[in-house]
């Protein structure tokens, strides 16, 4: 599951055909509407997070395939279910019970937040992130972010491999032993990245950032339809 989660932070090889500005507005817009949806009308309170989640699943499945998206959500779903179980057990301790409808809505909202966050890394390429920071005058931060985004998925994959190896070797009795191979893999990876950076320095450029492409209209329309129910006075 950790390996599948790592693939959620890797950009798809398929060009989505959207501009850089549209990708930023769409990803941040989803996070903004999810945050503001707590004050939405009661008639859409439980349906609205599901609408956003459906849109995210549709876009990501088009980019990377539904299997990659579903597999990447396994770990998030596990933690969500654990949270629900803990909430039910808390009732036995005398704490106020959470209505099932609120629990389901909160779980859907959590998954939608996670997908909205990962879209910043799946829609925007590492090169685009570097150019954005360079345009803001953050050249050193652009290099650091480039190395971070290129190493994060691999670190998660190495962690998964170390976890599987230790589980098979010690049958789950010494899970703390996975720290050693994880540090080993991370050290080797960091060294190779540093050597590559010294030999082929990353040079942030300002060109290549696009402001509008024809397909942007589709994302803007979908985002506008999600913003519409948040307008005061809107009723269904």
């Amino acid at each position: 599951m950790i390996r599948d989660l790592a693939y959620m932070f890797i950009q798809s090889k398929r060009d989505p055909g959207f501009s850089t500005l549209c990708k930023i507005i769409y990803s941040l817009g989803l996070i903004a509407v999810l945050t503001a949806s707590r004050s939405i009308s009661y008639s859409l309170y439980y349906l609205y997070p599901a609408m956003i989640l459906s849109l995210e699943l549709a876009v990501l499945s088009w980019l990377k395939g539904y299997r990659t998206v579903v597999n990447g959500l396994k770990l998030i779903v596990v933690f969500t279910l654990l949270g629900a179980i803990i909430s039910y057990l808390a009732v036995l301790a005398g704490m106020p019970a959470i209505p099932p409808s609120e629990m389901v809505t909160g779980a859907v909202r959590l998954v939608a937040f996670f997908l909205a966050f990962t879209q910043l890394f799946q829609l925007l390429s590492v090169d685009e992130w570097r150019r954005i920071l360079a345009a803001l005058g953050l050249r050193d931060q652009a290099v650091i972010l480039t190395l971070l985004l290129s190493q994060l998925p691999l670190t998660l994959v190495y962690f998964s491999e170390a976890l599987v190896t230790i589980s098979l070797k010690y049958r789950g009795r010494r899970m703390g032993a996975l720290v050693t191979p994880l540090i080993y893999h991370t050290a080797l990876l960091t060294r190779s990245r540093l050597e590559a950076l010294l030999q082929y320095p990353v040079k942030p450029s300002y060109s290549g950032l696009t402001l509008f492409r024809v397909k942007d209209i589709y994302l803007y329309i979908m985002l506008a339809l999600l913003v519409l129910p948040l307008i005061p006075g809107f009723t269904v």
Side-chain angles (χ1 to χ4, degrees):
M1 288 189 292
I2 298 177
R3 178 188 292 270
D4 294 329
L5 180 65
Y7 295 144
M8 298 293 289
F9 294 92
I10 300 177
Q11 187 201 22
S12 174
K13 295 181 180 179
R14 179 179 181 180
D15 181 17
F18 305 122
S19 67
T20 305
L21 180 62
C22 178
K23 295 175 186 177
I24 297 175
I25 293 177
Y26 170 72
S27 301
L28 295 180
L30 289 178
I31 297 176
V33 295
L34 277 169
T35 303
S37 64
R38 298 291 297 179
S39 58
I40 200 171
S41 61
Y42 181 79
S43 58
L44 287 175
Y45 181 79
Y46 298 107
L47 181 61
Y48 192 74
M51 294 168 52
I52 298 177
L53 180 60
S54 300
L55 172 61
E56 293 171 341
L57 290 175
V59 173
L60 292 178
S61 297
W62 173 69
L63 285 175
K64 310 190 70 171
Y66 73 94
R67 291 183 181 272
T68 303
V69 178
V70 173
N71 290 334
L73 289 176
K74 287 180 181 178
L75 189 62
I76 304 300
V77 172
V78 168
F79 279 107
T80 303
L81 292 177
L82 287 176
I85 294 173
I86 293 174
S87 298
Y88 276 118
L89 293 177
V91 178
L92 301 177
M95 298 182 64
I98 301 177
S101 56
E102 280 287 340
M103 192 171 297
V104 173
T105 304
V108 173
R109 194 184 303 274
L110 174 63
V111 176
F113 262 116
F114 172 75
L115 287 181
F117 176 73
T118 58
Q119 284 190 67
L120 285 171
F121 303 97
Q122 297 189 58
L123 290 176
L124 288 168
S125 65
V126 176
D127 193 44
E128 285 177 315
W129 277 110
R130 187 172 68 246
R131 290 171 178 173
I132 291 171
L133 292 179
L136 297 175
L138 305 174
R139 292 174 174 250
D140 294 336
Q141 289 78 3
V143 176
I144 295 173
L145 182 64
T146 300
L147 296 176
L148 174 64
L149 293 180
S150 63
Q151 187 166 339
L152 177 61
L154 289 176
T155 302
L156 291 175
V157 171
Y158 287 153
F159 178 78
S160 175
E161 293 178 350
L163 182 61
V164 172
T165 302
I166 297 303
S167 299
L168 293 175
K169 183 175 181 179
Y170 297 105
R171 298 181 180 178
R173 294 192 301 268
R174 296 178 56 187
M175 299 307 297
L178 65 88
V179 175
T180 300
L182 179 61
I183 293 177
Y184 176 75
H185 281 303
T186 305
L188 289 179
L189 179 61
T190 303
R191 180 180 177 181
S192 65
R193 296 291 183 191
L194 179 59
E195 291 176 350
L197 179 62
L198 293 176
Q199 296 178 16
Y200 309 99
V202 178
K203 298 179 180 179
S205 60
Y206 301 93
S207 60
L209 297 178
T210 54
L211 298 179
F212 180 78
R213 298 174 72 175
V214 177
K215 287 187 177 180
D216 294 355
I217 299 176
Y218 300 111
L219 288 185
Y220 285 140
I221 291 176
M222 290 186 290
L223 193 59
L225 291 176
L226 291 177
V227 173
L228 186 61
L230 299 177
I231 300 176
F234 177 85
T235 57
V236 179

